[in-house]
Amino acid sequence: MIYNSYTRIGGDNLMAERLPVLTTLPSSSYMSSMASLRCDSSSNKIFSTVPSSVYISFPFTPSSLTCRRPTLLSHIFLHQKRSAVRVSSGSVSSVGAPKCFASGPDQLRSAREDIKELLRTTFCHPIMIRMGWHEAGTYDKNIEEWPQRGGANGSLRFDIVLKHAGNAGLANALKLLQPIKEKYPRVTYADLFQLASATAVEDAGGPKIPMKYGRVDISSPEECPEEGRLPDATAAHLRDVFYRMGFTDKEIVALNGAHTVGRSRPERSGFGKPETKYTKDGPGVPGGQSWTVQWLKFDNSYFKDIKEKIDEDLLLLPTDTILFEDPSFKVFAEKYAADQETFFKDYAEAHAKLSNLGAKFDPPEGIWIDDCPPNAAPPEKF
């Protein structure tokens, strides 16, 4: 018996491990289209018409051929877990069924390209970063159960969460992302929000975030986190909330550095000026008060501007000034003001950690859509 270790069977890189076959199935064969499958309703069997006279047969009903996911064959495998699957050219063997993961890698990659185009045409980098943060920022390390623990679980698509005071304006971000979600149904909302957030950082000139995907969505508003888990603009609340999520002082300061991108709008947050000389002409919708002069560029100017306090048109909140007043925070804020490379390194690690908070991954180790995981650590257990 010859074993074909990994036979590619679908457009989303779903694989059947070690299919036992007498005739090796070519790894380049794609069997996800109706052209390669023939249905015999009289015998309730499905035959593959790919070369080598290999056929697959098991009981089926015509309705079983309807699937929301694009990979027909993987759908058949998934829904026939109790049936023996025959892959043979004259003998019978049974194999385990390959699994459809939470998100499809190919669709994640394509969605990322569409997000880049969206960013470059609408200048929505700040709100996309904020959306990923606020989705994951409801996580509570003291709660073990999913989804009660909060975190990156797709809850921000529900009105009950969008109406939380801390999420004012994020309905606009969802509206921008919804066409991408509809175009790529194999991408979960939880993955889409984090993908958009990381892509926005990178597209604005920030560091490459070592992201993994495969987050599972909650299914109903009843599973959403309650209001009050997000940080506000008070200095004391900053440490309380980020400690609840499991962050260190270094990670808190690094993550705050993302305010180098974006503006605060008083009609949404209650903070900032209606407009300044840096925001009155856009780009994008004019108005608001930014933390930095070039508020669509991701760099370390946030720390420099806080330290120097040179311009009244730049925003300073209590959560900003405390970074240079608190002895523990100040160590890292001074370092990041002087060394952008160190800031980028620490920020990328902290952002990746934030994006994983509370998430349930399928598969448990996550999905990597770049060439390989960048020195990926074992998956965290939440």
Side-chain angles (χ1 to χ4, degrees), residues 2 56 95 241 257 309 328 355 361:
I2 302 172
I56 300 173
V95 295
V241 170
K309 300 179 182 178
S328 178
S355 75
F361 285 90

Coordinates of all heavy atoms in Angstrom, one line a residue, residues 2 56 95 241 257 309 328 355 361:
I2 N 0.6 2.2 -0.9 CA 1.4 3.4 -1.0 C 0.6 4.5 -0.2 O -0.6 4.7 -0.4 CB 1.6 3.8 -2.4 CG1 2.3 2.7 -3.2 CG2 2.3 5.1 -2.6 CD1 2.3 2.9 -4.7
I56 N -14.0 7.7 -5.0 CA -14.4 7.9 -3.6 C -15.9 7.6 -3.6 O -16.6 8.2 -4.4 CB -14.1 9.3 -3.1 CG1 -12.6 9.6 -3.2 CG2 -14.6 9.6 -1.7 CD1 -12.3 11.1 -2.9
V95 N -10.6 6.0 6.4 CA -9.7 7.0 6.9 C -10.5 8.0 7.7 O -11.7 8.1 7.5 CB -9.0 7.7 5.7 CG1 -8.1 6.8 5.0 CG2 -10.0 8.4 4.8
V241 N -7.1 47.9 34.3 CA -7.7 47.2 33.2 C -6.6 46.3 32.5 O -6.9 45.2 32.1 CB -8.4 48.2 32.2 CG1 -8.8 47.4 30.9 CG2 -9.5 48.8 32.8
G257 N 1.6 53.3 22.7 CA 2.3 53.9 21.6 C 1.6 53.9 20.3 O 1.9 54.6 19.3
K309 N 6.1 68.0 25.0 CA 4.9 68.8 25.2 C 5.0 70.2 24.4 O 4.9 71.2 25.0 CB 4.7 69.1 26.7 CG 4.5 67.8 27.5 CD 4.3 68.1 29.0 CE 4.1 66.9 29.8 NZ 3.9 67.1 31.2
S328 N 7.7 53.3 37.0 CA 7.8 52.0 36.2 C 7.5 52.2 34.7 O 8.3 51.8 33.8 CB 6.9 51.0 36.7 OG 7.0 49.8 36.0
S355 N -4.1 40.5 20.5 CA -5.0 40.0 19.5 C -5.5 38.5 19.8 O -6.5 38.1 19.2 CB -4.4 40.0 18.1 OG -3.4 39.0 17.9
F361 N -9.2 29.0 19.4 CA -8.6 28.8 18.0 C -9.0 27.4 17.5 O -9.0 26.4 18.2 CB -7.1 28.9 18.1 CG -6.6 30.3 18.2 CD1 -6.4 30.9 19.4 CD2 -6.4 31.1 17.0 CE1 -5.9 32.2 19.5 CE2 -5.9 32.4 17.1 CZ -5.7 33.0 18.4

